[in-house]
Every structure is written in C-alpha cells, then in structure tokens.
Amino acid sequence: MPTAGRATLAQFLIEERRRAPEATGDFDSLVTDIALACKAIARRVAHGALQGELGSAGSHNVHGEEQTPLDIASNEIFLRATEWGGHLAGMASEELELPYPIPSHLPRGKYLLVFDPLDGSSNLDVNMSVGSIFSVLRARTPGAHAKLDDFLQPGTAQVCAGYAVYGPSTMLVLTIGRGTHAFTLDPSLSEWVLSHANLRVGPSAREFAINASNTRFWEPAVKRYVDECLAGVSGPRGFDFNMRWIASLVAETHRILMRGGVFLYPRDSKNHTRHGRLRLLYEANPIAFLIEQAGGMASTGYSRTMDVLPTGLHQRIGFIFGSSEEVLRIEQYHRETPGM
C-alpha cells in the first residue's frame, strides 16, 4: 500500500461508520471538508512570507485583536470549504461576531461547526507552530437556519472535535468520542495518514505551561501550584519541573498529547470583566474533548470544562488541562484557598 499499511483518514472514517449502520455518511463528508480546509490553510501558512501574508492586516476581529492576512484567509477557507456540502445548518468562528448562515441557495444539514481558523497567529512572524481548532455539534433543527442560541451547547454535546497543527509536519488530531487519533499529512500523496492511534495522556507530569508574566494577577491557588513546581526537588513536590510557554493553544495541546504535562490559562484579576482568556465554544471545549478522550482532564480550575453551559457565542473561561493528577491537585488548591 502507498501508506505502508496505515489507514488514511477516509479509511478511518469508513471503519468508524461501520460501527453505526444507521449512519448516512454526512458526518464523514463534513470531516473530509474540514480536513480539506486544513490542507489549504497549511499551504497558505507554508507560503506566508512568499505571498506577503505575514504581519498585520490593518484590521481587528470581534474581540479587538489585531488580525493577520492569514487570519482572514483561513476564516474564508473554512467557510468556503464547508458551506456547500449540505451538512451544516450554520457556523460560528472566532473571527465573526455572529453565526455565519449557510447561503440560502445551498442546502442545510444536521450539524453545526464552530472553529478558530488560525490559533496562535501572532507566532507566524517568527515561524512557530500555529493551528486550526474545530468542534462539531448537532443542529437543534436540522435543515433550518441555525440561530445563535443553537450554538450554546455544553462540551458534552460535541459529536467531534479536533485541530490541525502546522509545524515541521502538518498533523490533524481528531476525536469522534472513541479515542484521540493523530493523522500526519503525507505531502507526496496529499493524504492524511494515521500516524498516532489512541493517544494517551499519562496521569502524572513533570512539565507545566503557563504565562508567567501574569503572576501578579493569579488567584492564590494557581500561585501556590506554580510556586511548588518551581521549588523543584527541594520543595513539597519532591522533584523538578520544566516550564513551557508557546503562546499557541494548538501547539501546547499537541505537546501534552505527545508527552504529557499540564497547561494553565486560569482566570485572573487582570480584567475583571472576563472569567478567563480562552473562548469556551471553539477553543476550550474541543481541546477538552480531545484531552478527555486521551485519558486526561480539562477543568475551569473549579469543575469540568465540558459541563459548563455556554451563555454567549464568544464566552471566555479559565482553562486548565492535561495530566489528571495535576488537574485534580489544582482543583483541590482552589477548594482549599478560594480566590476572587
């Protein structure tokens, strides 16, 4: 076989569909469309400097964040690749204030798609890994135009979640609720090939990721946890930790899925109008689904992330995930030393 006996993404989806004889194939087609969007974005990212797409686009998204040309291009790629197939009732993107309606001349389906088209785009100018994050939900009224409230479903309602990471190799990491699996893009075949089946996050860790520049804004529980890690072998934990920070959620997640660890972007006192930095629907929930399916945990610092009932399309939340023993310890510290 041209893939050395490894399953392609299409073969993987077919095998999974055989477990559900009632399935129509719509879901497989939707995932294939998403995967095509990720291929197209990978190509644009790889040629960014040559096509003049680095730097600022001179515009801001709905959150007031400066956009790059590739933010805008990636959003368009996701919309164009997935709107036409008849599988979606609507979409929501980090780059758009309101849900994107499927054009009236196109058929509508039974799923909703939420996505961050290019996570970590501030890293593009220094040639570091970036990615795309996506989540699939069931439409409340299949075949009808989705309303904003239709997207406000907890993470437990996700049908599928995943991300693509655009790094030294391009990889697509996916869960449909039966494990977390990674596919590497074979550029010679333009095929996603299963390279890491059933990824697992070990229960313990010796590595943590946090933005230490926010130390003065942390809650007491988070400061206690980080101080203990930094104390190393002479501290209460009894061993040394390494600290990492890439400023790309996709890259941080990928590292944890591949070798363990814990990631913290907790709520803090820096901005009292926000309950965190990361967006619940299209960042925290899909990553939480992937991590839980790999045996890890994902939490707000107080409770399970995927149990949170969304109240807004762009709702922000504190987010901590990774090795279960570390996440449980942080939750325990929050109970023992309540903060703001």
Side-chain angles (χ1 to χ4, degrees), residues 126-188:
V126 291
N127 201 26
M128 292 177 65
S129 294
V130 295
S132 302
I133 309 172
F134 59 88
S135 170
V136 177
L137 301 160
R138 287 188 174 86
R140 289 178 172 157
T141 309
H145 281 296
K147 301 176 182 177
L148 189 151
D149 286 351
D150 296 341
F151 292 87
L152 305 185
Q153 302 181 41
T156 52
Q158 292 175 104
V159 176
C160 165
Y163 66 79
V165 58
Y166 313 121
S169 61
T170 297
M171 297 182 71
L172 180 72
V173 182
L174 182 74
T175 183
I176 57 175
R178 287 190 288 272
T180 296
H181 313 280
F183 300 80
T184 298
L185 183 62
D186 182 337
S188 64

Side-chain angles (χ1 to χ4, degrees), residues 280-296:
L280 175 61
L281 286 179
Y282 42 83
E283 291 179 322
N285 272 341
I287 297 303
F289 194 13
L290 290 162
I291 291 293
E292 286 196 5
Q293 285 295 310

Side-chain angles (χ1 to χ4, degrees), residues 6-338:
R6 298 177 184 267
T8 64
L9 176 62
Q11 291 169 329
F12 173 85
L13 292 170
I14 290 169
E15 288 295 330
E16 290 296 317
R17 190 170 77 234
R18 287 171 178 166
R19 299 170 182 245
E22 72 282 2
T24 62
D26 283 0
F27 174 75
D28 293 9
S29 297
L30 173 58
V31 174
T32 301
D33 290 344
I34 293 169
L36 177 61
C38 294
K39 285 184 190 179
I41 294 169
R43 184 181 181 280
R44 292 289 286 266
V45 168
H47 292 82
L50 301 178
Q51 294 178 336
E53 292 188 316
L54 301 185
S56 173
S59 59
H60 295 79
N61 64 17
V62 63
H63 314 286
E65 299 164 343
E66 191 172 25
Q67 293 177 305
T68 71
L70 281 169
D71 282 319
I72 298 168
S74 298
N75 190 67
E76 283 297 306
I77 288 169
F78 255 93
L79 297 177
R80 300 292 87 79
T82 57
E83 68 180 359
W84 67 277
H87 313 304
L88 293 173
M91 289 183 262
S93 166
E94 181 187 29
E95 302 299 326
L96 301 174
E97 181 177 3
L98 297 172
Y100 175 81
I102 303 302
S104 297
H105 68 280
L106 295 173
R108 288 167 296 282
K110 58 186 177 182
Y111 297 107
L112 304 174
L113 175 64
V114 295
F115 58 90
D116 179 350
L118 195 60
D119 170 72
S121 58
S122 61
N123 286 328
L124 287 167
D125 289 348
V126 291
N127 201 26
M128 292 177 65
S129 294
V130 295
S132 302
I133 309 172
F134 59 88
S135 170
V136 177
L137 301 160
R138 287 188 174 86
R140 289 178 172 157
T141 309
H145 281 296
K147 301 176 182 177
L148 189 151
D149 286 351
D150 296 341
F151 292 87
L152 305 185
Q153 302 181 41
T156 52
Q158 292 175 104
V159 176
C160 165
Y163 66 79
V165 58
Y166 313 121
S169 61
T170 297
M171 297 182 71
L172 180 72
V173 182
L174 182 74
T175 183
I176 57 175
R178 287 190 288 272
T180 296
H181 313 280
F183 300 80
T184 298
L185 183 62
D186 182 337
S188 64
L189 299 172
S190 193
E191 284 281 0
W192 299 102
V193 180
L194 182 62
S195 53
H196 301 75
N198 292 303
L199 290 166
R200 303 301 295 171
V201 177
S204 60
R206 301 291 184 270
E207 198 166 84
F208 70 99
I210 194 167
N211 184 352
S213 68
N214 290 326
T215 301
R216 64 194 184 279
F217 303 113
W218 290 342
E219 293 180 302
V222 174
K223 191 170 190 309
R224 174 184 173 186
Y225 176 80
V226 173
D227 285 347
E228 289 183 357
C229 293
L230 294 176
V233 69
S234 60
R237 300 300 302 275
F239 45 78
D240 292 328
F241 279 77
N242 287 323
M243 187 170 74
R244 299 285 184 264
W245 186 252
I246 306 175
S248 166
L249 180 60
V250 163
E252 303 280 5
T253 304
H254 199 68
R255 186 188 63 250
I256 288 172
L257 282 171
M258 291 297 168
R259 70 184 195 197
V262 64
F263 170 94
L264 302 92
Y265 213 135
R267 76 176 192 181
D268 56 40
S269 62
K270 188 175 184 178
N271 187 331
H272 289 285
T273 66
R274 297 177 180 174
H275 295 287
R277 165 69 175 174
L278 298 177
R279 269 64 63 147
L280 175 61
L281 286 179
Y282 42 83
E283 291 179 322
N285 272 341
I287 297 303
F289 194 13
L290 290 162
I291 291 293
E292 286 196 5
Q293 285 295 310
M297 288 186 64
S299 172
T300 65
Y302 296 84
S303 61
R304 184 187 184 203
T305 299
M306 291 208 298
D307 286 338
V308 175
L309 185 62
T311 57
L313 194 63
H314 300 290
Q315 178 181 349
R316 297 175 187 260
I317 197 167
F319 193 34
I320 296 165
F321 68 85
S323 299
S324 58
E325 291 178 4
E326 301 305 309
V327 176
L328 286 170
R329 180 181 291 271
I330 295 163
E331 288 186 341
Q332 175 190 337
Y333 288 0
H334 275 290
R335 290 191 295 271
E336 293 175 356
T337 55

